[in-house]
Amino acid sequence: NAGVTQTPKFQVLKTGQSMTLQCAQDMNHNSMYWYRQDPGMGLRLIYYSASEGTTDKGEVPNGYNVSRLNKREFSLRLESAAPSQTSVYFCASSEFGDRGRNEQFFGPGTRLTVL
Amino acid sequence: LAKTTQPISMDSYEGQEVNITCSHNNIATNDYITWYQQFPSQGPRFIIQGYKTKVTNEVASLFIPADRKSSTLSLPRVSLSDTAVYYCLVGSYNTDKLIFGTGTRLQVFP
């Protein structure tokens, strides 16, 4: 099993350009998440999806859109990139629903620079 | 979601036991405590989770006092490879949202 995969690993954009970050998981998890991590900071939740067909805003959703394409895939789109969106983006998934361990599995991250 | 407070950084030497304490004064009845570890250029990785008293696994122990307003992650006999950032999170069974703070940067020296 590959776990959580993200593409691309690195990306450089100019201000105003758009792009989509892709995420896929092969663990049959219902919940998926997008976080951003700025240098020296913790992770901040952008959007999450509790199940196929549903999405909800996290702490910092402005400037982003998401699509839960199917149970496996959850994409993050920047419509008009800004330098403030320079960050490392992590996708995660978990099997939420049971009372007990709600472990989130993270992908390797996408390092995005907006010039 | 309960806010957590933990030290910004800690130093240790190989072979020592490291205890990282997290404060969560506003923890709710439904909240559980989870610790994640993050190496540079990687996503966080789950270490341990608990609700009360003590939990132990092959990697760490988690101590939670009766009032649950704090918790302590204990790493026995650390090695250089334990150098990482450790996050304490408090989350409810009613939501899958997690709030990551800035974490504790542990540096292990030879």
Side-chain angles (χ1 to χ4, degrees):
Chain A
N1 289 347
V4 179
T5 57
Q6 294 182 234
T7 55
K9 286 186 169 53
F10 301 93
Q11 184 71 50
V12 179
L13 293 178
K14 294 181 180 177
T15 296
Q17 287 185 317
S18 63
M19 79 161 295
T20 299
L21 282 64
Q22 306 287 353
C23 174
Q25 52 94 7
D26 63 2
M27 295 172 282
N28 202 36
H29 286 163
N30 283 312
S31 298
M32 296 186 73
Y33 315 81
W34 275 106
Y35 294 89
R36 61 176 287 175
Q37 185 172 36
D38 299 331
M41 305 293 289
L43 284 78
R44 292 184 292 171
L45 182 65
I46 305 172
Y47 271 95
Y48 73 105
S49 170
S51 62
E52 184 179 349
T54 67
T55 60
D56 281 291
K57 295 178 181 179
E59 298 174 77
V60 288
N62 291 344
Y64 305 95
N65 286 303
V66 290
S67 295
R68 183 72 183 269
L69 304 170
N70 47 56
K71 193 171 186 179
R72 287 188 66 248
E73 298 171 289
F74 189 37
S75 63
L76 178 72
R77 182 161 177 84
L78 287 71
E79 290 291 351
S80 179
S84 61
Q85 293 178 304
T86 293
S87 190
V88 180
Y89 291 84
F90 289 102
C91 177
S93 72
S94 71
E95 187 51 46
F96 179 71
D98 295 328
R99 181 181 174 89
R101 179 162 139 171
N102 176 23
E103 176 181 352
Q104 292 194 10
F105 294 83
F106 285 80
T110 294
R111 192 171 298 273
L112 175 67
T113 301
V114 183
L115 302 175
Chain B
L1 296 169
K3 179 178 167 58
T4 61
T5 303
Q6 53 185 121
I8 293 173
S9 64
M10 293 181 70
D11 292 335
S12 183
Y13 292 93
E14 281 192 295
Q16 289 189 332
E17 178 184 73
V18 171
N19 295 310
I20 306 174
T21 297
C22 178
S23 171
H24 28 80
N25 291 318
N26 296 323
I27 191 168
T29 303
N30 284 340
D31 288 343
Y32 53 89
I33 299 144
T34 310
W35 285 80
Y36 280 77
Q37 175 192 55
Q38 185 179 26
F39 297 115
S41 302
Q42 294 186 25
R45 184 182 69 152
F46 175 99
I47 302 177
I48 198 166
Q49 182 183 91
Y51 184 79
K52 60 182 179 180
T53 62
K54 177 183 174 182
V55 179
T56 298
N57 62 22
E58 64 278 4
V59 176
S61 294
L62 178 59
F63 298 92
I64 306 168
D67 66 4
R68 303 198 327 122
K69 293 184 184 300
S70 67
S71 59
T72 299
L73 175 72
S74 181
L75 304 172
R77 297 181 297 282
V78 294
S79 64
L80 295 176
S81 62
D82 292 315
T83 293
V85 178
Y86 293 82
Y87 295 96
C88 165
L89 296 90
V90 173
S92 168
Y93 289 120
N94 297 323
T95 177
D96 49 0
K97 282 187 183 180
L98 294 177
I99 302 295
F100 285 80
T102 52
T104 297
R105 189 171 301 273
L106 173 65
Q107 179 69 54
V108 180
F109 295 96

